[in-house]
Amino acid sequence: MTRPRLTCLMAGSLDGRLHPSRWTESPDGSAADWTGAYEAIHDRYAADGWIVGRVTMAEMAKGEPHPPSPSGAPPRPFHVARDHGPYAIALDRAGRLHFTAADIHGDHVVVLLGPDITDSHLAELVGVGVSYIVCEGRGGGLDLAAALDILGERFGARHLLLEGGGGTNGSFLAAGLVEQFDLVLAPALDGGDSRAIVEAGETGLKGKIRLQLIGVDPLAHGALHLRYAVTAAQDAV
């Protein structure tokens, strides 16, 4: 088994919110400065790809549903259209995302889908040149561990960045699949009810994981880069 290492990399306000457009201002810098610092860290990691949820990917995937070309039943449980990164990986259990191309900013698209996905949607992805993994369900979600194993074994991924939204981060953290949590902490507040950096449902993450500080790096414009090792909580071992 060659499961890729997973680092959760996020930028957030002091109250743990992830939408820079809602953050307060600072004399030390702007939201553009802080997101720029985040993007520089993303690039510095030079990972094999990044993972986001459906809502985040929908901002980049601008396609519309379109009938696939008839070519027989599409392959299951996965289709590898390109076997080298970098990858743009999206969770899309119900197959709501549609693509006009197989790449996003040069990164090859891989979609993680639920077990009840239709052949017609898979054929649509094949026709565009998008790769996919059909995941077995687990508690109404996806078997994320099995998906990571396929990304390692069949796509050659060794290090992936988990980059939101909050529910996607929470799912991977709750499954014990994240090894490191990095946060670019901006000198700003949201103060509203917008989405949090991590959301793990009513049960939360207490008793599932624990964090250990491994580094703090001051950044320009009043921001900090916090790095934590993530391990299973004692009562979860």
Side-chain angles (χ1 to χ4, degrees):
M1 181 187 303
T2 309
R3 181 176 295 172
R5 181 165 54 92
L6 191 59
T7 298
C8 184
L9 174 62
M10 295 296 294
S13 60
L14 293 174
D15 53 347
R17 304 297 174 175
L18 54 73
H19 290 301
S21 62
R22 296 173 54 97
W23 295 350
T24 56
E25 298 178 353
S26 169
D28 293 327
S30 66
D33 295 322
W34 305 321
T35 55
Y38 167 87
E39 291 165 0
I41 293 169
H42 170 105
D43 293 342
R44 190 160 66 241
Y45 269 120
D48 297 304
W50 42 276
I51 303 174
V52 295
R54 180 186 62 81
V55 174
T56 302
M57 182 60 81
E59 299 174 2
M60 296 171 275
K62 301 297 186 179
E64 297 291 337
H66 52 278
S69 302
S71 58
R76 292 175 184 256
F78 55 83
H79 168 64
V80 183
R82 193 177 93 184
D83 63 357
H84 60 88
Y87 298 111
I89 304 164
L91 275 66
D92 184 25
R93 191 187 193 287
R96 297 179 181 177
L97 294 173
H98 303 275
F99 299 87
T100 59
D103 292 357
I104 292 178
H105 307 307
D107 299 344
H108 179 65
V109 176
V110 183
V111 186
L112 309 185
L113 301 155
D116 52 354
I117 196 72
T118 64
D119 278 354
S120 62
H121 187 74
L122 296 183
E124 177 185 313
L125 296 178
V126 171
V128 179
V130 168
S131 297
Y132 60 77
I133 300 172
V134 180
C135 309
E136 291 299 320
R138 178 176 289 183
L142 302 177
D143 189 340
L144 299 175
L148 285 181
D149 290 342
I150 294 173
L151 287 167
E153 295 168 7
R154 301 292 184 172
F155 290 85
R158 296 295 176 264
H159 182 206
L160 297 171
L161 299 178
L162 177 63
E163 299 187 292
T168 298
N169 293 340
S171 296
F172 278 95
L173 284 161
L177 299 172
V178 177
E179 296 186 20
Q180 185 170 315
F181 192 104
D182 283 31
L183 175 64
V184 175
L185 186 61
L189 293 168
D190 180 318
D193 58 356
S194 61
R195 301 298 298 269
I197 296 169
V198 175
E199 299 178 353
E202 294 182 0
T203 59
L205 293 172
K206 185 177 181 179
K208 298 177 183 178
I209 65 168
R210 59 182 182 178
L211 304 178
Q212 182 177 12
L213 183 67
I214 57 176
V216 181
D217 300 316
L219 303 174
H221 308 291
L224 296 173
H225 178 200
L226 307 176
R227 292 176 288 118
Y228 297 86
V230 184
T231 56
Q234 290 293 338
D235 51 355
V237 176

